[in-house]
């Protein structure tokens, strides 16, 4: 069961490990990132940061969509983390099991950025993606 789909540029870090993971009674974390999935060093760094009892899986966006639409993930209490809104939108659009996307920390990105909160900043084109009807319809998605 997908407990949370979160956008956070820090991926697996203190807030995920000490707040979200125990509060949601999760037992697995899926990191959705083409960049991280292609790097053994980055995967190893995430393994060091994860909770000791967590299963950690790092997959590309495409492989994550396949996995999330399969039945293998149903045996986990899963947190899905993406590093950016674009990847979250791709996964959420393709996976009916994702019913909402939680927006977390993001690095400052430049002048064309809208600050939504102390740690939530997105470029204006990304905000337009968030306004897509498929993501806003909470009753059907």
């Amino acid at each position: 069961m997908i407990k949370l789909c979160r956008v956070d540029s820090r991926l697996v870090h203190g807030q995920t490990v000490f707040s979200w993971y125990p509060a949601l009674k999760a037992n697995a974390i899926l990191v959705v990132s083409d960049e991280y999935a292609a790097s053994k060093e980055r995967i190893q760094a995430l393994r060091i940061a994860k909770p000791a009892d967590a299963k950690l899986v790092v997959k590309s966006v495409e492989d994550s969509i396949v996995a999330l639409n399969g039945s293998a993930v149903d045996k986990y209490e899963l947190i899905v983390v993406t590093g950016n809104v674009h990847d979250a939108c791709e996964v959420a659009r393709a996976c009916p099991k994702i019913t909402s996307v939680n927006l977390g920390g993001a690095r400052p990105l430049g002048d064309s950025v809208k600050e939504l909160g102390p740690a939530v900043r997105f470029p204006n084109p990304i905000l337009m993606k968030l306004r897509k009807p498929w993501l806003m319809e909470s009753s059907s998605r």
Side-chain angles (χ1 to χ4, degrees), residues 19-36:
S19 295
W20 288 110
Y21 186 81
L24 296 171
K25 296 181 174 62
N27 60 14
I29 299 170
L30 170 62
V31 173
V32 178
S33 171
D34 292 338
E35 187 178 341
Y36 274 72

Side-chain angles (χ1 to χ4, degrees), residues 1-100:
M1 171 184 220
I2 298 171
K3 304 292 264 183
L4 176 70
C5 180
R6 180 171 171 80
V7 176
D8 197 318
S9 62
R10 300 164 294 177
L11 298 173
V12 179
H13 61 93
Q15 186 175 8
T16 304
V17 173
F18 296 110
S19 295
W20 288 110
Y21 186 81
L24 296 171
K25 296 181 174 62
N27 60 14
I29 299 170
L30 170 62
V31 173
V32 178
S33 171
D34 292 338
E35 187 178 341
Y36 274 72
S39 169
K40 290 180 183 178
E41 294 82 10
R42 288 183 178 200
I43 292 171
Q44 187 58 35
L46 292 174
R47 290 196 190 289
I48 292 168
K50 75 173 186 67
D53 64 338
K55 176 174 179 66
L56 176 74
V57 178
V58 181
K59 291 186 175 286
S60 67
V61 174
E62 184 178 325
D63 290 344
S64 294
I65 290 168
V66 171
L68 290 168
N69 284 321
S71 60
V73 298
D74 294 341
K75 64 183 175 184
Y76 297 105
E77 301 300 317
L78 184 64
I79 295 175
V80 178
V81 182
T82 70
N84 59 67
V85 172
H86 175 76
D87 290 352
C89 287
E90 291 298 312
V91 172
R93 182 179 299 125
C95 300
K97 294 176 189 176
I98 295 175
T99 58
S100 64

Side-chain angles (χ1 to χ4, degrees), residues 96 98-100 130-141:
I98 295 175
T99 58
S100 64
L130 292 173
R131 292 190 175 117
K132 297 288 183 191
W134 63 266
L135 191 57
M136 301 303 280
E137 296 170 3
S138 60
S139 61
S140 64
R141 289 279 320 181

